[in-house]
Amino acid sequence: MGAGLTLTNASAAHAADDTVTYGVPAWPGITVKTEIARQLLAPLGYQGTAQDIGLQVIYQGLDTGDVDVFLGAWLPAQNSMLEPLEDDGSITRLATNVTGAQMTLAVPDYVYDSGVTSFADLDSHRDEFNGEIYGFGAGSAASEILNKAIEDDTWGLGDWTLVDTSTVGMLSAAKSHIANEEPIVWVGWTPHWMNLELPMRYLSDSKNLFGEGNGASDVRTLMASDYAKANPNLVTFFDQFSFSAEEQSWMIKQYGQAEKPMEEVATTWIEDHPNRVEAMMKDVTTLEGEPAWEAVREKFSL
């Protein structure tokens, strides 16, 4: 993946319709999904480039046309970034690409069983938590939500601190605290291997800080609007490109925890799911206008 992205203008980004530039934050699930898309589109004649950049830069890139596709629009958590650009026509919202997603605060089972079951319980146990909530990165939607809650003293969090590290750093802290049976609260979400590996529970929140349904999320594929208009074949593909929460949790576990190469994880999923891949290729063609499924089936021996 590239280390950065130089923002230019939409016309340059859309000069060639055989290239797809993906915005990819440092999230295992999005990384593997992007690699699956890249591998599936390659036999059709598309060249895929993944830009390893932060979330805000991805939205800026979609706005300018320097990013073509983003597979990680967690909504409503990212609404403040998406809606202005969607309203002015810069971004086109495509299909949901993973179902059953949720993001909200989580605690270990033993903390939940001790009586901390909701956001409302946190402040009365502030000293036990050292007044800290662990997040997975400055600039993320979760970071913006929690910083605003601290600023507004929502649920008494005004004197709390958001410890924003990275996904790896946050989960390392969770594992360490759990190993010592110490209290910790962090931003949890599903799909993710943490739900399979950590003894954890999600806190309830009647104020729905992370969105309706206590952070129930719709993970959408986004495309730069000019690019979408120029590439209806890719719109058809990405409107059919979707996974279950269990499938994405498997991807995250294989890549993010087992540390298998993303290329290997992506290829394994493709080879293990020929029927799903065929469905993704319905009414999609190669750049030469031939049926996409035939090219993909030959490439992967499906």
Side-chain angles (χ1 to χ4, degrees), residues 4 9-11 13 24 49 74 105 108 136 143-144 168 214 232 238 241 254-256 258 265:
N9 56 64
S11 59
V24 187
T49 301
W74 280 69
L105 294 182
F136 57 87
S143 178
E144 292 189 0
V168 172
N214 191 22
F238 281 110
F241 184 76
Q254 296 300 305
Y255 173 68
V265 177

Side-chain angles (χ1 to χ4, degrees), residues 170-171 186-189 192-198 200 202:
M170 180 187 74
L171 293 177
W186 73 92
V187 179
W189 64 88
H192 194 273
W193 62 257
M194 74 177 84
N195 300 276
L196 306 175
E197 299 294 326
L198 301 181
M200 59 182 283
Y202 290 105

Side-chain angles (χ1 to χ4, degrees), residues 51-176:
Q51 295 286 350
D52 186 4
I53 50 181
L55 188 61
Q56 292 177 328
V57 181
I58 288 172
Y59 275 94
Q60 184 182 356
L62 285 165
D63 184 28
T64 61
D66 293 278
V67 171
D68 301 322
V69 178
F70 176 43
L71 299 174
W74 280 69
L75 306 176
Q78 295 174 20
N79 272 344
S80 63
M81 301 183 207
L82 170 60
E83 288 179 346
L85 300 177
E86 192 173 41
D87 290 344
D88 71 14
S90 299
I91 293 179
T92 295
R93 186 188 311 208
L94 301 182
T96 296
N97 64 58
V98 61
T99 57
Q102 181 184 18
M103 179 188 295
T104 190
L105 294 182
V107 296
D109 280 350
Y110 53 83
V111 172
Y112 192 93
D113 293 341
S114 74
V116 181
T117 63
S118 71
F119 284 43
D121 298 321
L122 286 172
D123 200 42
S124 61
H125 295 267
R126 182 187 181 283
D127 291 345
E128 298 167 36
F129 291 101
N130 198 31
E132 295 178 335
I133 298 172
Y134 283 79
F136 57 87
S140 68
S143 178
E144 292 189 0
I145 289 167
L146 290 170
N147 279 322
K148 188 174 188 308
I150 291 170
E151 179 182 345
D152 296 342
D153 196 25
T154 307
W155 291 125
L157 297 177
D159 57 351
W160 285 59
T161 300
L162 177 59
V163 182
D164 252 336
T165 58
S166 64
T167 300
V168 172
M170 180 187 74
L171 293 177
S172 294
K175 286 182 177 179
S176 177

